[in-house]
Amino acid sequence: MESSLLLLLLKGAWHQTQYPLLDLTFLVNSIVTQVVDMGFLRSFSLLCTLVFTNWSPNTSAATVSLPSYPLAVKSPYLSTWLPGNQVSNVATAQPEFWAGQDLSWPILARVNGVAYTLFGAPKGVSGSTAAKTVGISYTSSHTLIQVTAGGASFTLDFFSPIFPGTSDYAVQSLPYSYLTVSATSASSSKASVQILSGIDQTWTAQGGASSLNFTTTGTTGFFWFYNPNQIPFTENSDMATYGSVLFGSTTGAAVTYGCDIATNIYQSFTSSGTLPGNQSTSITCANANLAAIAKDLGSVGSTSASVTFAVGFNRDLAINYLGTTQTGYHRSKWPTVQSAIQYFLGNYASALKSSNALDAAVRSKAQAVSSSFGSEYADILEASVRQSFGSIELTVPTNNLAASPSVFLKEISSDGNVNTVDLIYQSWPIFISLNPAYIKMQFQPILSYLALPKSQGWPQSYVIHDIGSHYPNATGHNDGVAEQLPLFETSTLFILLYAYQKYTGDTSFAKQYSSILPGYADYLATNSLYPASQLVSVDAIPGTPNQTALAVQSVIGLKAASIITGNTTYATIASSFVNTIYKLGLGLDGSTPAKSTHFTYNYGQPFSWNVLFASYSDVLLGLNTFPAAAWQMQSKWYLSQIQQEGLPFAGPLNDTNYIGAPLEWGLTDWNVVAAAASSTDVQEAVVNTTHAFMTNGLNTIPFGTKYNVEGPQAYASGNALVIFGGPTQLIQTIYHEQVLDLDAVAIDERTGKIVVSALQHVFIYRPSELENDLRWSLHSDFTEDLEQPASLTVSWGDAEELLLGASSLTLYDTTSEDAPIWRHNLSSPATAALFSPDSDLIASISRYDRLVKIWKRRSYGSEDVRFDFSYLPHPATVTSIEWRKPIKDTAHSINVLYSVCEDRKLRIWTESDPRAIHFMQLWAQIDLQASIQPRDLDHAELYTDRFLFVISPQDFTQTVSYAAQQKQGLSSNKHMLEHLEEVSQHSPDVVVILDGTGHMSAWALVDVGGKTGADNNVFNIAHTEYFHSFDFSDNLNSDREVQLFCFPSLQDPSALCLISHLHHQSIEWLEALVPTFFEPDVNEPPLMRRGDWTGHDKEIAGLATDSSRTILASWTSDECILQRHPAGSAEAGQEGICTLTSSSPIDDVLILSATHAITLATNEISLWNISDSTAKRLATSEVDEDGFTFLIRALNGESSPYRTLVAALSSNLSGVVWQAVVPTGDLDGHQDNKVEEAKLIRVCNVDSELCNGSLPHDQNLILQASGNAHDDIGEITMLSSDGVVSLRRITVNEGDSARILTSDSLESDWKSPAILAASPAGYVALVDTTRKILSIWNRFTELREFESSSTTEEIQTLQWLETPSGYPVLAVVFLQRILVFSTTRMHREPRGITWIMIREIDTRQVTTYPAGSLAWLHDGSLAVSIGLQLLTYDSKFSLTDEAKVVVPSDYALGIAVELFEIVALLNSSLPLYHPHVLSHCIQHDKAAAVAKIVITLQRRLRFFSDGDELESLLGLPIMTIVRGQKNIDHNTRKASIMNGDISQNGINQEEEELLSVEMSTNLIENLDEVALPCLLQYEQKRLRDVINYFAQDYKQHKSLDSHAIKYAFAFRQHMDYIRSQQDKLQPIPWKDIIWATHSNSQDVLLDLVSRHFQGKLLWQNARQSGMFMWISDPDALRSQFEIVARNEYTKTDEKNPIDCSLHYLALKRKAVLLGLWRMAAWNREQSSTQRFLSNNFSDSRWKTAALKNAYALMGKRRFEYAAAFFLLADNLRDAVSVCANQMQDLQLAIAIARVYVGNDADNPVLKDLINDKVIPQAAREGNRWMASWAYWMLGTKDKALQSLTVSPHALLMGDTPPTAASRDWTNVEPSLVVLYRYLRDRMSTREVLDAVTQKQEWDFVLQMAILYDRMGCGLLALDLVRNWKFMDWREIKRNAGSTKMANAAMQDAKEKDSEKEVTKTERAEEIPPTAITAMEIRPKKAAPTNFEEPSANSLLDSFGF
């Protein structure tokens, strides 16, 4: 059992139930622990509750640095801080609100008549001098700043009191804080001192809107900022924008007051030491900003004098809790502001005494925890106490001040939630220590809300996450929508209820909620063992299923629930879960505890793990849910995983599965909590690393929780500084454009600073937090003064000192300004100058030196720096030196230096006696040459190189120790591991020597630094011939050209990592288990490659891949690197790197195969063999022509893998074709096929004149590839002058020229885009000339599917990818970000979606350099060139918020998704029960299928529950949808309808009996309870609506034809839709109007519309329904119009005849209108209008008068009334014109025209209106429905049919270019084909042939089927192509006029069918039968000159059936 002090004390803490309530009285018996970290992320706790009996008060304050110091921290809104980077000069410091807003809080002093600024004046104060800062310290409740000014010393005490005791709730709730300024004389003489302090409007967050007043009460005077027009419960960036800000002090004769602008206040004080007002004068503050108080301290000597101020933020309306107001609990004692602040100031002495006791207790108890880390622990606790209490408020109901208080907590620095349950869990240790009642008071408002009936409160079956989305509004979540942490919050509730009950003995609180607690316990019992995908408190990590830690916590919570509820069944269940998770190994990395080392993060993922903070609850509360051995095992694991900067929250460290990037951060809160239940070693490591983070000076916000635990690494490449955190994690790249190459780089491990140099130029970078990520920014740069430019050596020392070496050694202090503090000239330039780890020594060498110079520091401080030096002699030139890595154990802190010289010996030097002449002495040496003796003596000269690295004692011992724990998995290396275990007992340094060819020798150095280096202290421990081979020998000038670094693996503690840095070439990251490392297996690779950092030293000019996307080429002007990414490789890095060097600038690279590539360079084209690491040039051909910039494959009749045609082209398409011939052996046994020599044969020129069209001017040609590596043909995408996009291929003829032939084309309205790119999947992307508009077109449907614009950024390039499933993905590159778009199923609801942005890559996260070229790789990862870097972004990523809306909730949680997986999901077929499928089925005349689906769904849902399977087809046969009517002739169908067997819409009698309104109601109720698979929340709601609409229409199905069904369904849907829209008068779409137009059930539809509007049909309602567009019966038309007229008249109480004038005059019912005017006596126009209407308007005189009145009304803009007068004058044309133009009501114009004439066939005005208005509008909008309706109304059936198949614009405008809107996908719906079939079947064949060609019909049907498939309705697409009947060939033959022509056409069709049958057979072998529901429609458009009639089979073949 662990014997650490802390764990033993924890055992004692298990019995604390014997102690009474731990309030302030019993503080001596407890230790404070840390809680809410309100500054950075969230609240957190530290260590544990401990019990001590003896202690000595220690009032000393912590003096370590903090990231930010608390000044006034009492509530979420009184939270003022001083950033840590400003403490060096507090006189100019800028205080801040915790969220970063500046707050004014100046403090001034006047000493002996001279003014000084003490604090808080960043711009200074005129007439004053800045005081000198002496120091800063802090305690739990005080921040103390010492400054000196003049002859006085000052202490600024910022004091926020904490009263945790039960009797002190009211005092604790006072929202005020103290500032005390104390002064003493700095000399023996006294000083006259006056003090001023004040605040201003910045504290109110209201932009100066608050008024300022001064008030006195008793002995208190205070200023009061208050806005009488404030809005309660509001915030601005987390600052309250309501309430009162107060600033006051006690009154007295020496106290004066002032409020004015700041300059006037300062002038008054600096000149006189006083302010204008005092307690007896009236102080007015009009137009004042600064409120200030001054006090004359008088003559101050050695005894301090002081003044105390109070600052506060009072909110009487503190919390909005479920609609009722809560106020501060202090108002129960001090109901007014005056009484509260007077008490607060009067209570100062008592508060100070209490705080001193509290502070002393915290400090002493914490220090007593450990002699080794107790002081650091105390620093952490003291920094956290005010943060803990500063995030909560104690309140009571405003209407019941006598009530018991509640506590409300704000989730600070996150999203501001109220009483977040998991935050209470993070903060509970401090409340258990100080007062457990705080737990009860925080849960009181939560449980009160949960106890409400579900219909009135929280409806879910688990505990809520919070009770308000944003503080201070605790309004609950009655909609059930809150952050989802079901198991975490539910288990937390029981754990903390039990903690409260255990430490108080109070069981009544839990019993109060006994009605709801068992339900939550049941939830844990049901869901704990296998947690569903959900978040935990660390919500930075997306939710995943089967999280072990979540299951562990839930089981602990279940155990606590058994005690709380008194139900032992829960304990039994918890025990069984423990057995499964722990004893049976479900949650372990091994099968049993004995075979395991840790708990996993997810079940079944043995290498995953995370911090199990729930263990603390189990141990502290004595629940003992898990055995102690479980936590001991986990404790050992933590110790192995702690990194340089701390314990990561989860691992493996570089695993990207957690957050889509390496998880390299830890959490201070959960780390310390978990450490409390771990060993002393873990506790020490966690406390020390947490303390280091808190004090590192890198942050300026309050002490946070999240921080990086792994230190970065850096290297220089070209002019770029590259900072990385692991083998695959790039953190940042910084380019230096002012220099060519960087020479040196070094990281200061203490501060994180990085220095790089380029010759004499030096750049220093400082780290800082940016949006939770670590980033470096330029701190300073300077130029070292050198006589001649030379490379510098750089090394960091202590206290941010920087050593530079060149012709001199120079030491710089970089803390503020980069000032040299020591310089020493050298006789020859230094090649290395390095600080020792403790910065006490410097070792330096120069070129050809045989002496290592050791410099020993004799003095510290920037004013007097001195070094002495001595020499370390060597027999030959010293080639390298290196200090040993520091060892944490102080007993081994001696400095050790390694040196190597040309005698091939390693020398180990240690520090000697300080009194000796030489500072270091030789301890031992190793002969590197003799250490490796290769067996192959005949070639010994090949093995002369030697390289070495050293493994530190702690790294070696640690890895061997953990390898020994896992040795049960070893076999061949078992003996080596045993040997290494024995060696590790001596804690040796291990020297590993390599020769680069596989030989390795390892030596142990024992007790380095001992008195002598005896022979037995240096011995060999391993030798092998099978170590990793390095290709060093050809690239070295000296040993220093290679650096080797070895350290423990970040992922596996039993493995070692080795980094080899080959200067100017590559960095290789290798890894192996420690026994394998020292004894590799001859048959297996000894070291696994984790990463390979290589690349260019110049800017990358371009990227290219082969056709399989497994080889990536990147090139600069003179170099090309080819990297292999083999398909199926598990490694993340690149493999098989090949480098190609060109003597001429490279323009393009074409990869022919895995072994060959072609480069196009200036004046030459070359063929290369790329199979080796260095490419070999095989053939070269000169290029005489200029301007060739890219390569593309050409096509001819020959197909050979060894002969490839390649064309080099220029921007004007001139070019040359070469044949590339690669060597091969004898093929197929025929000697004739053998090719021995590689060749590049010039074949012919490219005839550019055969290509008409122009190219875009920026990205001239887009190259695409298809097929495999041997037959892919390049395509050129072009745009002609008329906007036609064409894809062209180069084809070589038998002659001497090559042609550019069109393979596909697309008409667009774009004339000159900046960028043009075509996708193999059939899409074209265009970017306009501004580079801000992106448009995507479908080549097959010729529709625009997407358009998006950017207001600021310009698009740089585009790159397409086709997924393995055939779906297109587009990467859009801006300067510093990359957007990835994917197709998705076409959705028209809730908004039109066809493409969606699924990923956003912000390259600014790693560099500010602009992105360059792009290339997709085979697995969906994306290669991006940025400067000289090539970045590869993984195919796994987190979705954008935009994409999360359209994917299932599991994906929306933020988990990392695979590109191909998510694209397939977005485009997958929808289930039959999906509302979109049902809607399209109704539109497709599949009402019977809908009925069948609805009935089946209702049956399946009767016993359905969440988690059950629900097949997408519901078990129905495919033929439910894909069912033709060819077997039912017209007479049979008619008879069935007459007999009642089926209705007009195909519903049979059985379905009629089952499909009832009651059944649909039951189904809808089921849908309210059950979430269906594959449906989003809004889609499920839509499904309920669809079923409801369909059920209502079903009631009349026998009287509705199919068109009426479609209209009725659409009408109900439309009316529901517009209820949620701002424009509630939107008319129904023309698509639905035309269904009603062709319906024979219009009378039923009229009744439907009338009933919907309750018989009160107004014109706006008629317009919504479109009824006057579709009514065909003239009598019904007039009847309905008269109803509208009557309702318009009666719609208001006054019944105005003007409202119905237009309608009655259109009906020619003037007499009725005249009668209505007779009754309008109230209208002042009655008499004149009545007289006027009485005239005979057939008379020309009165017609003229009516026209004059009409024009007069037009002038008054009374357009509707004007139209009525036009009708009165019988001028229908002008009346219609007014309606259509001025009133913009086309429907009204058509209705009037129809009603007025009464005969559509003989209505010239109607026809002109349709021709002049309707059809042009349809053409502009591309509205085919509207166009077809118009032509049908005109009686031109052929055009009504034709307009459905082509764009109305093309039909009407002819050759005029179409608008983009007319080609948009939203204007083309697949149900067009239903109308087309309906119209075609009612026309003769001759009429059809006159209207539509056979090719048009073929393309149209194909287009509609594609749209169905794009919408996810694959079965409807199949139904369409399977059952479609083309026109009868026999009819065509009779009308053709020539039997011969018809026979020829028939023969052509047969030949085509034969070709299709072959394709069909091939595809049948490729596509499984189950693929039919997710079929792909990817036809390739042909371009035949004549169209041959298709057969039904050929149409099916086009879809792969």
Side-chain angles (χ1 to χ4, degrees), residues 1142-1287:
S1142 172
S1143 58
S1144 301
I1146 299 174
D1147 291 314
D1148 197 13
V1149 177
L1150 179 62
I1151 304 173
L1152 300 179
S1153 66
T1155 55
H1156 293 87
I1158 292 179
T1159 59
L1160 176 65
T1162 304
N1163 300 324
E1164 69 177 22
I1165 182 171
S1166 302
L1167 175 64
W1168 302 80
N1169 185 312
I1170 58 172
S1171 56
D1172 295 328
S1173 59
T1174 301
K1176 180 181 179 182
R1177 193 192 304 261
L1178 301 179
T1180 300
S1181 177
E1182 293 185 359
V1183 179
D1184 299 329
E1185 299 83 349
D1186 295 329
F1188 293 165
T1189 57
F1190 66 94
L1191 297 169
I1192 188 171
R1193 290 184 186 244
L1195 176 68
N1196 71 348
E1198 180 183 0
S1199 176
S1200 169
Y1202 307 103
R1203 300 176 186 272
T1204 305
L1205 292 180
V1206 177
L1209 297 177
S1210 65
S1211 59
N1212 61 7
L1213 288 188
S1214 62
V1216 177
V1217 176
W1218 278 271
Q1219 185 181 57
V1221 181
V1222 298
T1224 183
D1226 187 9
L1227 296 179
D1228 302 325
H1230 298 287
Q1231 190 68 24
D1232 294 340
N1233 291 336
K1234 187 174 183 179
V1235 179
E1236 295 183 351
E1237 182 182 1
K1239 299 177 183 179
L1240 274 174
I1241 304 171
R1242 184 165 180 153
V1243 178
C1244 61
N1245 295 330
V1246 177
D1247 190 351
S1248 61
E1249 295 183 358
L1250 296 176
C1251 171
N1252 58 355
S1254 60
L1255 296 170
H1257 53 79
D1258 279 325
Q1259 185 166 322
N1260 292 332
L1261 299 174
I1262 310 299
L1263 306 182
Q1264 303 293 339
S1266 60
N1268 58 47
H1270 297 302
D1271 64 6
D1272 53 314
I1273 304 301
E1275 288 186 332
I1276 306 168
T1277 308
M1278 300 175 55
L1279 186 73
S1280 65
S1281 58
D1282 58 356
V1284 176
V1285 178
S1286 59
L1287 275 71

Side-chain angles (χ1 to χ4, degrees), residues 1092-1104:
D1092 203 340
W1093 297 66
T1094 188
H1096 307 278
D1097 57 5
K1098 298 178 182 176
E1099 185 165 349
I1100 297 174
L1103 301 177

Side-chain angles (χ1 to χ4, degrees), residues 823-1099:
R823 188 187 300 272
H824 187 93
N825 293 328
L826 301 175
S827 58
S828 59
T831 57
L834 305 173
F835 263 118
S836 63
D838 61 1
S839 300
D840 190 48
L841 301 176
I842 295 174
S844 68
I845 57 173
S846 299
R847 189 174 296 276
Y848 309 121
D849 264 356
R850 294 190 176 194
L851 301 173
V852 176
K853 186 174 287 186
I854 302 297
W855 306 78
K856 185 173 181 62
R857 192 162 188 166
R858 292 305 187 185
S859 65
Y860 289 84
S862 59
E863 297 179 357
D864 182 23
V865 177
R866 292 183 295 111
F867 283 87
D868 291 341
F869 65 87
S870 65
Y871 296 101
L872 305 181
H874 290 71
T877 299
V878 180
T879 57
S880 64
I881 56 174
E882 194 71 43
W883 292 101
R884 183 175 69 167
K885 180 180 176 181
I887 299 176
K888 297 178 182 179
D889 188 348
T890 55
H892 297 81
S893 60
I894 187 171
N895 288 317
V896 176
L897 180 71
Y898 303 109
S899 67
V900 177
C901 69
E902 289 184 346
D903 67 349
R904 300 295 183 94
K905 290 184 179 180
L906 168 70
R907 289 171 172 81
I908 301 98
W909 306 83
T910 62
E911 287 187 270
S912 59
D913 190 322
R915 294 166 295 181
I917 298 176
H918 299 288
F919 306 140
M920 303 196 77
Q921 62 184 356
L922 181 65
W923 182 81
Q925 61 183 15
I926 299 175
D927 189 330
L928 304 180
Q929 193 67 37
S931 64
I932 295 179
Q933 298 294 331
R935 297 179 182 178
D936 187 2
L937 299 180
D938 293 336
H939 300 88
E941 69 278 1
L942 299 177
Y943 310 106
T944 58
D945 291 319
R946 295 293 182 269
F947 315 99
L948 67 89
F949 58 89
V950 181
I951 306 173
S952 69
Q954 64 264 35
D955 290 347
F956 178 76
T957 303
Q958 173 184 306
T959 52
V960 171
S961 173
Y962 282 96
Q965 294 179 25
Q966 301 177 0
K967 61 185 177 182
Q968 65 273 7
L970 297 174
S971 55
S972 59
N973 298 110
K974 185 175 181 179
H975 296 297
M976 171 54 71
L977 180 56
E978 293 174 350
H979 171 57
L980 294 176
E981 281 187 88
E982 182 180 352
V983 173
S984 68
Q985 300 301 315
H986 303 285
S987 298
D989 295 71
V990 177
V991 178
V992 179
I993 305 167
L994 312 173
D995 68 355
T997 64
H999 295 92
M1000 181 271 284
S1001 178
W1003 297 77
L1005 311 179
V1006 179
D1007 192 24
V1008 177
K1011 291 184 179 180
T1012 60
D1015 292 340
N1016 59 353
N1017 283 9
V1018 180
F1019 55 89
N1020 183 266
I1021 61 173
H1023 188 96
T1024 182
E1025 300 177 12
Y1026 306 111
F1027 201 76
H1028 186 80
S1029 295
F1030 296 92
D1031 188 13
F1032 291 156
S1033 56
D1034 295 336
N1035 304 283
L1036 303 178
N1037 296 320
S1038 68
D1039 287 350
R1040 285 192 54 77
E1041 293 297 322
V1042 175
Q1043 287 180 287
L1044 298 170
F1045 307 91
C1046 189
F1047 51 89
S1049 169
L1050 304 176
Q1051 296 179 315
D1052 186 346
S1054 62
L1056 287 171
C1057 287
L1058 177 63
I1059 293 181
S1060 69
H1061 183 188
L1062 178 58
H1063 289 196
H1064 306 297
Q1065 287 207 16
S1066 66
I1067 297 176
E1068 192 174 20
W1069 190 304
L1070 305 166
E1071 184 175 315
L1073 294 174
V1074 66
T1076 307
F1077 192 92
F1078 289 98
E1079 188 180 46
D1081 192 324
V1082 65
N1083 298 318
E1084 297 180 5
L1087 301 179
M1088 295 180 60
R1089 180 183 286 109
R1090 292 300 185 194
D1092 203 340
W1093 297 66
T1094 188
H1096 307 278
D1097 57 5
K1098 298 178 182 176
E1099 185 165 349

